[in-house]
Amino acid sequence: MGLLELFIERLQEGDAAKIADLFCDDGVIHDSSYIKVGKDTMHVVGKMGIEMIFHNRFGMNRGPFQITSIQMLNDRAAWYFITHNNTVVPVTAFLSRIEDGKIKRLNIYPL
């Protein structure tokens, strides 16, 4: 299973520590899908920050994210629907950079 598939699976599981383990120590996640629900874009740098933000997001979301209709385009890109606060948002996720088998940068954009 590729890194992007593991990322999506771990979002569905709601395990912030396992998500963070997929990233380099200075890895970046940039997720602008939150703008579709009236929130600021999430741009987090660093494995510890990534774990903390997802721990917080899972708490606000009352558990793991609902992700449906996953379509892997290739090992670095996927389309799926994610539910943020009862709003379904179609997104595209791109693994922009991988370093030493870990995610260096992941971008998620709303469609």
Side-chain angles (χ1 to χ4, degrees):
M1 185 176 291
L3 285 171
L4 186 55
E5 288 176 292
L6 284 171
F7 174 77
I8 293 168
E9 181 178 279
R10 290 174 182 181
L11 281 177
Q12 292 173 308
E13 292 171 353
D15 192 325
K18 285 184 179 179
I19 290 171
D21 283 342
L22 295 173
F23 286 81
C24 300
D25 288 340
D26 60 347
V28 174
I29 184 167
H30 180 89
D31 185 346
S32 56
S33 68
Y34 288 97
I35 63 173
K36 294 292 188 174
V37 293
K39 305 277 185 192
D40 291 333
T41 295
M42 181 177 74
H43 183 88
V44 183
V45 179
K47 191 174 190 170
M48 183 183 294
I50 291 167
E51 181 174 350
M52 290 173 60
I53 197 74
F54 278 107
H55 177 77
N56 183 31
R57 296 285 183 195
F58 292 141
M60 290 173 25
N61 198 46
R62 293 181 298 284
F65 289 106
Q66 296 175 356
I67 297 174
T68 58
S69 303
I70 302 161
Q71 182 176 6
M72 296 301 298
L73 303 175
N74 55 49
D75 62 337
R76 292 184 146 215
W79 292 330
Y80 54 88
F81 293 101
I82 187 166
T83 303
H84 291 300
N85 300 326
N86 298 318
T87 301
V88 177
V89 179
V91 301
T92 301
F94 295 102
L95 277 178
S96 299
R97 210 165 152 207
I98 297 170
E99 189 174 283
D100 298 326
K102 300 279 187 171
I103 299 170
K104 179 73 171 180
R105 184 176 178 101
L106 173 65
N107 294 308
I108 301 171
Y109 302 110
L111 298 175

